[in-house]
Amino acid sequence: LTLLQNLYSLSTKIASTFRFTVLDQRLSFCSKLCFAIGGAPNQVAGSATAFFLQIYLLDVAQINPFQASMVLFIGKAWGAMTDPVVGFFITKSKWTRIGRLMPWMVGCTPFVVVSYFYLWFVPPFTNGRFIWYLGFYCLYQTLITCFHVPYSALTMFLSADQKERDSATAYRMTLEVLGTLVGAAIQGQIVASAHTLKHCPHHNMSTGHLGNGSGAEIVKRIVYMIAAGVIGGVFLICTVVMFLGVKERDDPYISKTEKQIPFHKGFILVMRHSPYLSLTAAFLFISVAIQLVQSNFVLFCTYAVDLRDHFQNIVLTILVSAVVSIPLWQWFLERFGKKTAAFCGITWIMPFTVMLVFIPNLVVAYVVAVSSGLSVAASLLLPWSMLPDVVDDFRLANPHCKGFEAIFYSFYVFFTKFAAGISLGVSTLCLEFAGYDTGACRQPAQVAYTLKLLIGAAPVAFIVTGLLILLLYPISEDVRLRNKLCLEELRYVTHKSLLTEVERTSQCSCNCIRQYKAGDTCLSEMLPNKVFGSHDGLKWVKYQHTFHRKVTITRLLQETRQHQLQNAGGSE
């Protein structure tokens, strides 16, 4: 009777565990918030480097524009090349007690903070500064890749429900744009004094240089290091919050007994998936346009339109507008579809950037800042909201593949980073050819004209190209709904198969009891196709069917086995 009660409790436990791990995919507000907080520090640091690293290298570190362009291009290209490498190692990673992706993010965070701080440190020597900044920028890009790629792939391991993933992505984008705002605010407000005209010699504004006195040079270097230290502290705090509040879940659709797909085969399959190619190519051009505006905006305000005393407030206005508009775009994509939201959101920025080039006054600058924030929010939210749909589409086309999520995310980041690196390097080289004078208070007219092209005409051309490619993106709302229903049907079939298996277990237990009364122990028949293994008192049971399931149960199985063996020993 005790054995029968234990078996009944075991069956109930299996069913309840399955309902918890597969059917209940809802995420709590706390889980979504902690997940979103985890992505904020990357954007805090990325915002500071995007807006201020170029002018820092030119006016504070005072390396020439060609060397600055090489630092920006090689650093970005190096970071792009590390993305697929990190993705490869992630696919080979095994599950631990804290997940498969979490150890990467937690382990690399201290090293990211150290490399980021030294990126904003001016060494005491002058001849080797180019090597110093190139080395630390490449190191920072490598380490931030080890954080960003697993964090991006973590979206697929939060929940199997598309709606929950979209909701978590909206939380993430809101906090990431807020992180961009915080990064620009911290960096901008702290270092703004280093780029004002008060450091210029009043007797010769055309040829004077910022910070000719040694005291002014030291002040500029110190404020950049203070900003780097504050951002490093934010990075550590946010990572700890994510680690404590996010639980990584294994994929409920894939087979747990099949081997992972080889990386090169997975890469070929992913590169042949047309929705992924069209989405990546489209947002590659769009991200290049946004990157051009970000990296050259401070230079544009300083030297092209004489808004050097207002650039930090204009940047904050852009980012506040982006933060506020994230919920708007989330509602819009749920109401009208993601593809429609992409077209409406991205095109919004084009007329306003051109307006700022031709009407360069303070009022127009703030109007452009508000409208540009809407497009920045759309460009951040939509690709990360659409990429999980592509992964689901690939999963239905290749149901037996395992461990491919990191390939999607790592190569998406690779292509966008590489293109951004090329655009940054080329834009800085354009300033070199235009005659940019490192550290000068005023720049030649050719430099101002070049900056206007980099802010106005070039981004518009890239955005138009990206939107034309996005027309080829095949996953409409109808296709996305079909994929969602197919995955839910797959979940239902799996659930039904497991319940059938539990029934078989109950029937088998009756036979076992009869054999037990006859003096035979038949533990091998009690739970067919089982695999025993101990880990902190837990036992694993594998059910063999079309899509294998691995369900965690409690010590009840161990207690049942011990109870039977004790009774068998007593009979002997």
Side-chain angles (χ1 to χ4, degrees), residues 177-178 181 313-329 348 366-378:
V177 175
L178 184 60
L181 171 62
N313 297 324
I314 297 173
V315 169
L316 290 180
T317 303
I318 294 173
L319 298 176
V320 168
S321 173
V323 171
V324 173
S325 61
I326 285 285
L328 169 66
W329 289 119
W348 189 255
Y366 278 104
V367 173
V368 171
V370 173
S371 59
S372 298
L374 297 174
S375 290
V376 170

Side-chain angles (χ1 to χ4, degrees), residues 9 25 38 43 53 109 113 118 142 151 166 223 331 385 411 566:
S9 301
Q25 296 292 336
Q43 296 303 316
L53 183 58
T109 296
V113 173
Y118 280 105
T142 302
Y151 176 78
D166 288 344
V223 294
W331 169 84
S385 180
F411 276 95
Q566 288 174 0

Side-chain angles (χ1 to χ4, degrees), residues 7 35 57-58 71 85 114 134 144 173 181 190 208 211 218 259 284 290 293 305 381 454 469 556:
L7 288 172
F35 169 68
L57 294 174
L58 295 172
V71 170
V85 176
V114 173
L134 179 61
I144 201 66
M173 289 301 112
L181 171 62
I190 293 177
I218 294 174
K259 295 182 179 179
L284 183 149
I290 301 298
V293 175
V305 293
L381 172 66
L454 293 174
I469 296 174
L556 192 57

Side-chain angles (χ1 to χ4, degrees), residues 135-212:
F136 274 104
Y137 194 41
C138 289
L139 178 62
Y140 167 73
Q141 288 291 338
T142 302
L143 293 171
I144 201 66
T145 297
C146 293
F147 182 92
H148 186 247
V149 171
Y151 176 78
S152 301
L154 184 61
T155 307
M156 298 302 300
F157 295 94
L158 294 176
S159 173
D161 192 319
Q162 287 184 1
K163 186 176 181 180
E164 291 298 314
R165 289 202 306 260
D166 288 344
S167 177
T169 301
Y171 276 77
R172 171 192 167 187
M173 289 301 112
T174 302
L175 267 293
E176 285 193 355
V177 175
L178 184 60
T180 305
L181 171 62
V182 171
I186 293 173
Q187 193 83 6
Q189 298 299 324
I190 293 177
V191 309
S193 60
H195 301 288
T196 57
L197 288 175
K198 66 182 181 180
H199 295 296
C200 294
H202 295 284
H203 64 277
N204 192 350
M205 292 290 292
S206 61
T207 59
H209 286 67
L210 290 171
N212 287 333

